[in-house]
Amino acid sequence: MKKKLIVPAHPEDKSFCSSLKNRAIEYFKSAGAEVRIHDLYASSFNPVGDKDDFIELKKMDYFKYQLEQVNAYENGLFKEPIQAHMDDFEWCDTLIFSFPLWWFGLPAILKGWVDRVFAMGFAYGNGKGVYENGAFPDKTSFIIMTTGGPDIAYNGGKNGNLDDILFPMHHGMFYFVGMTVLPPFISFSPARKTQEEREDDLNKLTEYLSQIKHTEPIYTNRN
């Protein structure tokens, strides 16, 4: 796995979430991997999928987003930067989302990336299968994430089970399009940790990344 696409979604470069992302970039490059980064906030990525995604429309009288996605994929009608994001997704063998957990889900800018880049016709549908028959069985995916709440809040606490919280991403996004899905790396409540504890989390991420080849996936289509 030598081609990494990292999609960070944090508005502050000095955040600990960004530090985790930077550690991942450093690790992969030191291991000889190619790394491409689509920093959504830095590029002012528009998360809203609409008519402006397309060079021209198939139907002018009634707009149906998925129908237009299929038409755009078949006829080369996606505008930039969507086409560039799709090209890099096709290029990579590993997709990494890096983000803070906001309101028990993805930041809106990253959810919008999925809406626009995992387009119908390109990532699923129109003759392409899903899940075990998904279009991208040779790709691996995982999450690097921070939370506001402490570990205990997600392990028997009121915030619920993280497996359930991350199910829409692991199952409904990554595995839906056929990718192998690895367990996430999570730094719980870094804002409440000491500098020493945050450094320890960075080192734990390095260890996590070094063991990727031996990590048991959550979902996979590979034998």
Side-chain angles (χ1 to χ4, degrees), residues 175-191:
Y175 187 51
F176 185 83
V177 300
M179 288 190 283
T180 289
V181 184
L182 301 182
F185 179 87
I186 302 170
S187 174
F188 291 97
S189 194

Side-chain angles (χ1 to χ4, degrees), residues 28-196:
F28 287 134
K29 287 185 175 180
S30 69
E34 292 183 72
V35 182
R36 295 183 184 178
I37 304 152
H38 285 285
D39 189 322
L40 301 184
Y41 279 98
S43 63
S44 299
F45 181 81
N46 177 10
V48 179
D50 59 18
K51 296 177 182 179
D52 197 47
D53 285 5
F54 313 108
I55 294 170
E56 63 182 58
L57 300 178
K58 183 174 183 176
K59 292 191 68 175
M60 299 298 296
D61 58 328
Y62 183 86
F63 179 68
K64 186 172 182 179
Y65 192 50
Q66 290 177 317
L67 174 68
E68 297 298 343
Q69 287 182 323
V70 171
N71 181 60
Y73 176 69
E74 291 180 338
N75 296 288
L77 295 173
F78 283 108
K79 287 184 180 179
E80 298 294 347
I82 299 305
Q83 187 61 57
H85 284 261
M86 289 177 172
D87 290 344
D88 279 353
F89 175 63
E90 282 197 297
W91 164 85
C92 78
D93 54 44
T94 308
L95 173 69
I96 301 120
F97 282 180
S98 172
F99 63 92
L101 188 69
W102 285 355
W103 289 106
F104 298 84
L106 295 175
I109 200 168
L110 183 51
K111 174 55 168 59
W113 187 91
V114 177
D115 291 343
R116 299 181 74 196
V117 176
F118 281 16
M120 189 172 188
F122 167 67
Y124 71 99
N126 198 40
K128 294 179 177 176
V130 296
Y131 299 123
E132 68 274 12
N133 299 309
F136 303 106
D138 295 329
K139 297 186 187 299
T140 296
S141 56
F142 64 89
I143 285 167
I144 298 172
M145 187 180 82
T146 57
T147 69
D151 190 346
I152 193 171
Y154 298 94
N155 290 297
K158 290 186 176 181
N159 284 2
N161 186 292
L162 266 176
D163 289 341
D164 296 333
I165 292 169
L166 296 178
F167 182 82
M169 300 150 222
H170 287 154
H171 187 87
M173 297 175 189
F174 295 157
Y175 187 51
F176 185 83
V177 300
M179 288 190 283
T180 289
V181 184
L182 301 182
F185 179 87
I186 302 170
S187 174
F188 291 97
S189 194
R192 295 182 173 88
K193 290 179 176 177
T194 64
Q195 183 60 32
E196 182 178 350

